[in-house]
Amino acid sequence: MFAALGVKAQKVYSTDRQYQADVKVFVVDNEYQADVVVYRTDKEYRAKDTENKGIWFFTDKAYRADKKIFFVDHEYQADLKVYFTDKEYRAGWKNNSKKHLMY
């Protein structure tokens, strides 16, 4: 239980304007297709930008976010492909060459 408290996340803001985004994201249907498997946490106090482990907190204010993302409709438009999981331990990078996009 205490090990889970040490896991860190990133604060992410989902913008509705593509030109405002730091990263364009496409959500894939299967984990094997993803660059990163993302666990969405609902606890902002756990959100830190010092680690990049696929644990995201979605904030409702752009200025509070570490990264602004825009969800695209097609895979070819994306900088990053993500798969959302409901298991925190499954979060992590599948394609380390894309890791820099979230730092």
Side-chain angles (χ1 to χ4, degrees):
M1 181 168 120
F2 293 109
L5 294 175
V7 176
K8 298 187 178 167
Q10 291 177 295
K11 290 183 267 186
V12 177
Y13 176 76
S14 177
T15 180
D16 59 354
R17 294 181 173 92
Q18 185 172 346
Y19 67 88
Q20 293 177 331
D22 298 314
V23 181
K24 293 176 284 188
V25 173
F26 180 74
V27 178
V28 295
D29 295 326
N30 300 294
E31 185 175 329
Y32 72 87
Q33 298 171 301
D35 296 318
V36 62
V37 176
V38 173
Y39 175 77
R40 184 176 178 163
T41 182
D42 59 354
K43 295 174 176 50
E44 183 176 4
Y45 70 86
R46 296 191 50 213
K48 305 275 190 218
D49 64 352
T50 56
E51 290 190 16
N52 188 357
K53 293 188 173 184
I55 300 172
W56 294 0
F57 172 80
F58 281 80
T59 180
D60 58 354
K61 305 287 184 206
Y63 68 88
R64 296 176 72 191
D66 301 318
K67 289 290 179 177
K68 293 180 281 254
I69 63 172
F70 178 78
F71 289 99
V72 296
D73 295 326
H74 304 284
E75 185 175 346
Y76 69 86
Q77 298 171 307
D79 301 316
L80 189 64
K81 296 179 288 184
V82 303
Y83 176 81
F84 285 98
T85 182
D86 59 354
K87 306 281 192 263
E88 186 172 335
Y89 71 89
R90 300 212 42 99
W93 287 91
K94 301 291 186 182
N95 183 351
N96 284 326
S97 70
K98 301 280 184 124
K99 207 171 188 178
H100 70 279
L101 294 170
M102 294 306 292
Y103 271 118

